[in-house]
């Protein structure tokens, strides 16, 4: 009884503790190096603006009075909104939600690891997997970022764990319905959450491949749960923007459409260097041992199918690596779980000689790399926060102090601007101005659109729109002096006064 309780304590308490410590370290380093609280992405301020308007004004809008489909994570918005009722927003409540998301990801990793490696009597692999997820720097960065990424990763791991179990023991009709609700909820965190419906469908097919009646019955249950959650979401988007998904979903693909000219193999390979910057670079080498499958159980491949599918999807539609590969960060945890289990198997089989030495050196190196990148990641997080504070937040506060409340602002990006300045906005990135999406890369057409809408100011990084800012009708009136941005090879954000004839 004592041993059983000790195992449960390790599975639950240790990942919780490590998650809180690692998130706390990131925030302490941020305060120390950046000198102020903040978020490492301007997009985090978009979520805050939607959450504040929802909590205080009952509107799902970025600009008050203009409901919009500019957020791909409405469930994250709902979770952030109570922070404004409690007076803990924007930072404390958001970081608490992020830490809870990281804890959820760590515990879901233990759940998935238990399903993938059921042969172990002791919970060694689940505990190790949970601890690695709680300390992987990409995930800790995500938890402290104010973004939905860590919550999405937790949901993915939980549903992959469900899929592995369904392949062995099918759900009840109620369980299938709840699985569909889980997929729907994950889709409200990020649209690609709907891909998990395919993984749960594969799991049902594995078990029911000779029982089509039960397969169809459970499949309909999953579909019913999914539609119950997703239908209102799609209807809201159709009402607000005329499309089933949020504006951001289409705007990002259009903005980076120039990358589609690259060969698909180039797009596939260029996504990996950022993701491998951490313990994954060593643990992914253990994948063959993790997938070794003497009993030929196909469910061991389900998480890998999701990883490959997500990787291919992003290489096809959004092959970007900026912001530490944040769109693909959720594929890191399943690979770490495979790597942890594979290395553990290699360790157990190495009874002596060179294999024994390699196993221990491999494990020690993975731990050392993980801890080193965790510390480096805390510094990266602080730098990211300092740049956003010194650029987007600085400009937003300047606009708030030096322009009229009804001044019409054209901008790229709009997150901090919407939060701190609350002016009428023309969004060059298409989040709240979806009409620009068809010509989002055409500077001449964007400038004509700004003139037609009588924009009074333009806010952007000059290098983003070189032809536009060179137009004589635009006059530079303010530019930040953040040296850190220039040290990283970027220019400072600028404000231009528009003078139309």
């Amino acid at each position: 009884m004592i041993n059983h309780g000790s195992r449960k304590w390790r599975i639950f308490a240790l990942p919780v503790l490590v998650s809180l410590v690692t998130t706390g370290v990131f925030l302490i380093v941020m305060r120390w190096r950046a000198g102020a609280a903040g978020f490492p992405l301007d997009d985090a301020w978009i979520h805050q603006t939607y959450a504040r308007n929802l909590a205080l004004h009952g509107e799902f809008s970025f600009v008050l009075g203009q409901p919009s489909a500019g957020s791909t994570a409405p469930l994250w918005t709902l979770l952030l909104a109570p922070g404004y009722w409690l007076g803990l927003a924007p930072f404390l409540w958001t970081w608490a939600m992020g830490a809870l998301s990281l804890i959820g990801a760590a515990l879901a990793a233990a759940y998935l690891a238990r399903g993938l490696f059921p042969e172990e009597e002791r919970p060694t692999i689940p505990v190790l997997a949970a601890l690695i997820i709680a300390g992987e720097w990409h995930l800790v960065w995500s938890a402290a970022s104010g973004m939905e990424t860590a919550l999405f990763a937790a949901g993915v791991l939980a549903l992959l764990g469900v899929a592995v179990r369904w392949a062995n023991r099918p759900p009840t009709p109620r369980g299938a319905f709840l699985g569909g609700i889980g997929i729907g909820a994950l889709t409200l965190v990020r649209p690609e959450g709907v891909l998990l419906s395919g993984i749960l469908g594969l799991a049902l097919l594995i078990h029911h491949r000779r029982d089509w009646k039960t397969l169809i019955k459970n499949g309909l249950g999953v579909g019913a749960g999914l539609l119950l959650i997703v239908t209102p979401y799609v209807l809201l988007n159709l009402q607000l923007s005329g499309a089933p998904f949020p504006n951001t979903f289409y705007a990002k693909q259009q903005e980076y459409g120039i990358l589609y000219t690259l060969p698909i193999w180039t797009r596939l390979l260029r996504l990996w260097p950022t993701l491998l910057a951490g313990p994954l670079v060593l643990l992914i080498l253990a994948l063959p041992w993790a997938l070794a499958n003497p009993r030929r159980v196909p469910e061991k491949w389900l998480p890998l199918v999701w990883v490959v599918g997500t990787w291919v999807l992003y290489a096809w539609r959004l092959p970007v690596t900026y912001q530490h590969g944040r769109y693909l960060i959720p594929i890191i945890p399943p690979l770490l779980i495979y790597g942890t289990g594979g290395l553990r198997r290699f360790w157990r089989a190495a009874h002596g000689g060179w294999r024994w030495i390699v196993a221990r050196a491999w494990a020690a190196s993975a731990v050392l790399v993980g801890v080193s990148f965790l510390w480096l990641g805390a510094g990266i997080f602080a730098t990211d926060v300092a740049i956003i504070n010194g650029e987007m937040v600085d400009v937003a506060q300047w606009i708030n102090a030096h322009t009229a409340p009804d001044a019409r602002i054209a901008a790229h990006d709009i997150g901090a601007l919407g939060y701190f300045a609350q002016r009428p906005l023309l969004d060059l990135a298409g989040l709240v101005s979806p009409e620009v999406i068809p010509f989002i890369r055409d500077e001449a057409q964007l400038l004509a659109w700004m003139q037609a809408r009588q924009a009074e100011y333009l806010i952007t990084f000059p290098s983003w729109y070189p032809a536009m800012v060179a137009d004589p009708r635009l006059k530079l009136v303010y530019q930040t002096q953040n040296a850190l941005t220039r040290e990283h090879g970027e220019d400072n954000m600028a404000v231009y006064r528009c003078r139309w004839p």
Side-chain angles (χ1 to χ4, degrees):
M1 291 296 292
I2 296 176
N3 186 41
H4 182 67
S6 175
R7 290 179 182 178
K8 283 189 173 181
W9 182 89
R10 289 199 304 271
I11 292 175
F12 290 101
L14 285 178
V16 171
L17 179 61
V18 172
S19 298
L20 293 174
V21 169
T22 53
T23 305
V25 167
F26 267 52
L27 298 178
I28 290 169
V29 172
M30 172 202 68
R31 193 65 179 84
W32 169 39
R33 293 192 180 181
F39 298 118
L41 300 172
D42 185 69
D43 288 5
W45 291 110
I46 294 177
H47 291 306
Q48 293 297 328
T49 305
Y50 271 103
R52 182 180 63 187
N53 289 345
L54 180 63
L56 303 183
H57 304 283
E59 290 185 10
F60 194 79
S61 64
F62 188 80
V63 178
L64 282 175
Q66 300 178 25
S68 60
S71 171
T72 53
L75 183 56
W76 184 242
T77 297
L78 292 173
L79 293 175
L80 296 181
Y84 289 91
W85 300 331
L86 299 172
L88 299 176
F91 297 119
L92 292 180
W93 182 263
T94 304
W95 290 330
M97 291 296 100
L100 287 175
S101 297
L102 183 61
I103 291 170
L107 296 180
Y111 175 67
L112 175 56
R114 175 67 83 180
L116 288 176
F117 302 99
E119 71 272 13
E120 289 230 349
E121 295 182 4
R122 301 177 62 188
T124 304
I125 294 177
V127 170
L128 289 175
L131 293 177
I132 288 172
I133 298 307
E136 206 284 332
W137 80 270
H138 290 90
L139 294 165
V140 182
W141 183 94
S142 300
S145 70
M147 299 297 291
E148 76 284 352
T149 309
L151 177 63
F152 184 73
V156 165
L157 291 172
L159 285 172
L160 289 176
V162 168
V164 169
R165 282 158 178 78
W166 280 11
N168 283 294
R169 186 175 60 188
T172 63
R174 180 174 178 270
F177 180 72
L178 291 177
I181 287 178
I183 299 169
L186 195 62
T187 304
L188 299 189
V189 179
R190 285 215 56 84
E192 60 267 34
V194 74
L195 295 177
L196 269 298
S197 59
I199 300 301
L200 290 187
L202 281 175
L204 292 175
L205 183 61
I206 289 171
H207 193 278
H208 294 308
R209 55 188 178 275
R210 294 184 179 87
D211 184 0
W212 289 96
K213 182 178 179 181
T214 306
L215 173 63
I216 293 172
K217 182 178 178 181
N218 280 334
L220 289 174
V222 172
L226 173 61
L227 289 175
L228 179 66
I229 302 299
V230 170
T231 299
Y233 169 65
V234 171
L235 291 176
L236 176 64
N237 288 324
L238 288 171
Q239 180 184 1
L240 295 176
S241 66
F245 289 105
N247 301 331
T248 312
F249 178 82
Y250 305 100
K252 290 290 185 183
Q253 296 180 61
Q254 187 71 19
E255 183 176 5
Y256 295 99
I258 190 173
L259 296 174
Y260 299 162
T261 59
L262 296 173
I264 185 62
W265 291 111
T266 301
R267 284 183 265 163
L268 286 166
L269 293 175
R270 74 191 299 270
L271 296 176
W272 281 101
T274 302
L275 302 178
L276 291 174
L280 182 60
V281 72
L282 292 174
L283 290 177
I284 200 171
L285 300 175
L287 199 59
W289 286 274
L291 294 173
N293 199 351
R295 294 190 296 119
R296 299 179 182 271
V297 285
E299 64 267 20
K300 291 188 77 71
W301 291 83
L302 289 174
L304 190 60
V305 170
W306 177 82
V307 166
V308 172
T310 302
W311 168 41
V312 171
L313 177 66
Y314 268 96
W316 175 46
R317 298 305 303 169
L318 193 61
V320 295
T321 58
Y322 61 80
Q323 297 163 350
H324 318 300
R326 71 175 172 96
Y327 290 110
L328 279 171
I329 285 175
I331 75 173
I332 295 176
L335 292 174
L336 287 175
I337 294 169
Y338 276 122
T340 301
L343 181 53
R344 171 65 175 165
R345 282 180 166 181
F346 183 83
W347 178 296
R348 292 184 65 185
H351 300 298
W354 67 270
R355 291 177 181 268
W356 186 91
I357 296 172
V358 169
R360 279 139 185 86
W362 191 355
S365 298
V367 171
L368 181 61
V369 168
V371 172
S372 299
F373 269 97
L374 183 64
W375 178 249
L376 291 172
I380 291 170
F381 178 80
T383 298
D384 293 339
V385 169
I387 289 174
I388 296 299
N389 282 349
E391 299 295 343
M392 282 74 166
V393 173
D394 178 275
V395 164
Q397 292 173 339
W398 186 92
I399 287 290
N400 192 51
H402 294 88
T403 67
D406 60 349
R408 187 167 296 176
I409 313 293
H412 187 164
D413 289 313
I414 64 168
L417 184 65
Y419 189 86
F420 292 100
Q422 300 181 39
R423 299 298 194 268
L425 291 175
L426 302 174
D427 180 15
L428 301 180
L431 276 67
V432 297
S433 302
E435 63 269 26
V436 309
I437 293 176
F439 52 90
I440 201 168
R441 302 287 300 184
D442 189 326
E443 292 186 58
Q445 203 165 348
L446 285 172
L447 193 61
W449 175 74
M450 286 168 48
Q451 181 177 3
R453 296 300 184 93
Q454 288 296 292
E456 298 175 55
Y457 294 89
L458 167 67
I459 299 173
T460 185
F461 289 103
S463 61
W464 288 4
Y465 300 104
M468 186 186 298
V469 300
D471 191 287
R473 294 171 294 179
L474 303 183
K475 179 183 178 181
L476 180 67
V477 293
Y478 180 73
Q479 189 165 20
T480 68
Q481 299 300 316
N482 188 2
L484 189 59
T485 305
R486 296 193 297 272
E487 289 174 11
H488 284 75
E490 304 292 339
D491 52 356
N492 294 122
M493 182 164 268
V495 181
Y496 299 86
R497 187 72 167 93
C498 303
R499 299 292 186 184
W500 310 113

